[in-house]
Amino acid sequence: MENLLSIFVKSIFVDNMIFAYFLGMCSYLAVSKTVKTSAGLGLAVVFVLGITVPVNYLINNYLLAPGALKWLSPSLADMDLSFLSFIMFIAVIASMVQLVEMIIEKFSPALYSSLGIFLPLIAVNCAILGGSLFMQEREYANITEATVFGLGSGVGWFLAIVGIAAIREKLKYSNVPAPLRGLGITFIVTGLMGIAFMTFMGIKL
Amino acid sequence: MSVKIESEPLFSAKNLKLITDPINKNNPITVLVLGICSALAVTVKLEPSVVMAISVIAVLTLANVITSLLRNTIPSRIRIIVQLVIIASLVILVDEILKAFAYDVSKQLSVFVGLIITNCIIMGRLEAFALGNKPWPSTLDGLGNGIGYGIILVIVGFFRELLGSGTLWNYRVIPESIYISNGGFYENNGLFILPPMALIIVGIIIWIQRSKTRELIENE
């Protein structure tokens, strides 16, 4: 339990997707003009990360990793399909996003209309694929850990995009040098937020 | 059709513009805001930045050519999946080559080679250009955008390694003798090694570029 909590907190603050790894920057910069839309996108990312990371965990551990096919027949014990992981992960993500979209549309039209346009965009959000690749690289012990890591990374991304959107809403009223307006100042503010997030770095849990 | 191709020289002014435009006026990173995701985390040193830039140029150019050759056969409803498969196969190729010939750099880049798949630059160029143009202009477009992306990467990598570690391509540039520990006055700026500094450097590059090219300034 303590272990899970530590993974959760670590993936939100210490290994924050945006500030430590710059993952999902494209949609982070493009959709952060208002707090409302960015919260919608953030929620969708938490959702999709929470689903795709455990699914890819199963695929990685029972199909792709070296020796993973042992459950099928002992003769496959030295099979290593890990070179296929990129293509499998992205296929899982693309189909999961499609599936999630259909489920939400069926059961919660209200949520669907608020997330609507963002869901398909998420398939090419680097944070999602990044989550799966980090899961593979860090070799989590079981599926619960992988799920907690996925959710935590999503929450970290959510916090970052809502934070920058709030700052950008306020920035509208300040006198920024013309060449820095828009994109430039957003980069610099993100950098400063990253420095602030680095204070979490030394925390041992 | 072949007559038409011959009537236009390979490097006509229009084709050359496909290469030069993305380097300044339509730069994928500083103007179009594409492909920042997998880029900035690899720029701590010059070497991985250059390797990353070359990988992206290769993947982007080849994916553009392949998509452009297939553009009349891809059904538009499933085009995103087809594009992802093309890109993913090319990235697997690059990853295997890096692991075989440049293992150390491949370890440093870790998951970021895989993340070239979701680099929005590549999807963006396939959607916006390769699906509607002939193979040769698509090649040039891929090359141009790849170079435009690579230049920013290399500039950021250059400053971060020089100011953060005092070396370039792992060779010492700032002499040991002037460091405080050796009785001198100089100290590396540790901030440049940390991730946030990459963002701030790109912010400054945007600032400089837009004050030189004033039509890029945004009016909110």
Side-chain angles (χ1 to χ4, degrees):
Chain A
M1 193 61 209
E2 265 171 43
N3 187 24
L4 292 182
L5 193 68
S6 122
I7 290 180
F8 190 65
V9 173
K10 202 164 176 262
S11 55
I12 295 179
F13 294 109
V14 184
D15 289 335
N16 187 290
M17 280 283 180
I18 296 231
F19 299 127
Y21 298 105
F22 310 108
L23 295 180
M25 285 298 286
C26 306
S27 27
Y28 169 87
L29 291 170
V31 196
S32 60
K33 290 221 170 81
T34 60
V35 171
K36 205 162 167 256
T37 46
S38 51
L41 182 67
L43 262 180
V45 168
V46 177
F47 205 67
V48 175
L49 261 176
I51 291 175
T52 56
V53 171
V55 171
N56 279 336
Y57 179 83
L58 291 178
I59 287 189
N60 186 44
N61 280 42
Y62 290 101
L63 288 176
L64 301 174
L69 282 169
K70 218 160 39 189
W71 58 275
L72 209 56
S73 107
S75 59
L76 293 173
D78 51 356
M79 192 80 135
D80 180 7
L81 291 178
S82 50
F83 68 94
L84 282 177
S85 53
F86 295 161
I87 216 162
M88 286 297 281
F89 286 176
I90 196 76
V92 166
I93 289 167
S95 39
M96 272 299 152
V97 168
Q98 198 77 54
L99 205 69
V100 166
E101 197 183 347
M102 286 193 289
I103 293 173
I104 295 185
E105 192 180 7
K106 183 95 177 44
F107 290 106
S108 169
L111 183 63
Y112 180 76
S113 57
S114 64
L115 293 183
I117 41 164
F118 298 123
L119 272 171
L121 271 180
I122 283 177
V124 285
N125 187 326
C126 340
I128 311 287
L129 183 63
S132 290
L133 292 175
F134 277 124
M135 174 274 298
Q136 186 190 29
E137 200 183 67
R138 291 181 192 155
E139 297 172 346
Y140 286 109
N142 54 48
I143 187 161
T144 328
E145 282 188 20
T147 316
V148 167
F149 164 73
L151 285 174
S153 306
V155 173
W157 202 88
F158 176 88
L159 282 182
I161 193 167
V162 172
I164 190 80
I167 293 179
R168 280 182 81 169
E169 275 189 6
K170 291 284 173 223
L171 266 180
K172 266 185 228 150
Y173 307 111
S174 45
N175 189 14
V176 181
L180 260 180
R181 246 172 244 160
L183 191 57
I185 194 73
T186 312
F187 265 103
I188 290 176
V189 169
T190 309
L192 294 177
M193 282 170 79
I195 293 176
F197 258 71
M198 279 172 43
T199 47
F200 294 111
M201 231 172 208
I203 293 177
K204 265 263 184 286
L205 282 160
Chain B
M1 209 166 99
S2 59
V3 180
K4 207 181 152 199
I5 291 172
E6 276 164 40
S7 69
E8 194 184 338
L10 278 184
F11 288 100
S12 63
K14 200 174 112 231
N15 281 345
L16 267 184
K17 220 169 131 51
L18 287 176
I19 289 202
T20 52
D21 246 19
I23 291 173
N24 184 19
K25 249 194 242 154
N26 272 318
N27 189 293
I29 291 190
T30 59
V31 181
L32 305 179
V33 214
L34 294 174
I36 300 146
C37 330
S38 59
L40 298 180
V42 303
T43 50
V44 177
K45 295 240 155 124
L46 192 55
E47 193 185 3
S49 326
V50 171
V51 172
M52 185 73 184
I54 294 172
S55 314
V56 169
I57 292 174
V59 173
L60 183 52
T61 314
L62 288 174
N64 251 1
V65 175
I66 295 172
T67 313
S68 166
L69 287 171
L70 293 174
R71 71 186 185 281
N72 295 324
T73 50
I74 301 177
S76 70
R77 285 186 64 90
I78 58 157
R79 62 176 197 287
I80 291 186
I81 297 273
V82 175
Q83 288 162 3
L84 278 178
V85 170
I86 295 174
I87 301 169
S89 331
L90 288 167
V91 170
I92 291 177
L93 218 72
V94 166
D95 188 40
E96 297 289 313
I97 292 176
L98 281 183
K99 272 186 193 148
F101 294 105
Y103 190 72
D104 292 341
V105 181
S106 152
K107 268 271 156 276
Q108 272 177 30
L109 293 176
S110 80
V111 300
F112 292 98
V113 180
L115 287 174
I116 298 177
I117 299 174
T118 45
N119 195 322
C120 347
I121 261 186
I122 299 181
M123 277 295 256
R125 284 338 284 172
L126 294 187
E127 277 282 299
F129 199 89
L131 275 178
N133 285 286
K134 294 210 183 72
W136 176 244
S138 304
T139 317
L140 294 180
D141 181 75
L143 213 60
N145 278 286
I147 293 172
Y149 166 90
I151 284 180
I152 303 290
L153 228 62
V154 171
I155 295 175
V156 177
F158 177 85
F159 283 110
R160 284 183 76 186
E161 184 169 0
L162 182 67
L163 299 175
S165 322
T167 57
L168 278 179
W169 205 278
N170 294 331
Y171 292 107
R172 184 139 291 283
V173 175
I174 295 168
E176 293 273 6
S177 53
I178 64 165
Y179 278 90
I180 288 180
S181 51
N182 293 330
F185 57 90
Y186 187 78
E187 185 75 58
N188 282 328
N189 187 343
L191 204 54
F192 276 84
I193 301 177
L194 302 170
M197 212 51 205
L199 288 165
I200 293 175
I201 294 177
V202 174
I204 293 170
I205 292 176
I206 293 175
W207 191 356
I208 295 170
Q209 188 196 12
R210 291 193 181 179
S211 36
K212 290 242 188 287
T213 325
R214 296 205 76 92
E215 72 255 36
L216 292 177
I217 291 175
E218 291 171 47
N219 285 311
E220 279 180 84

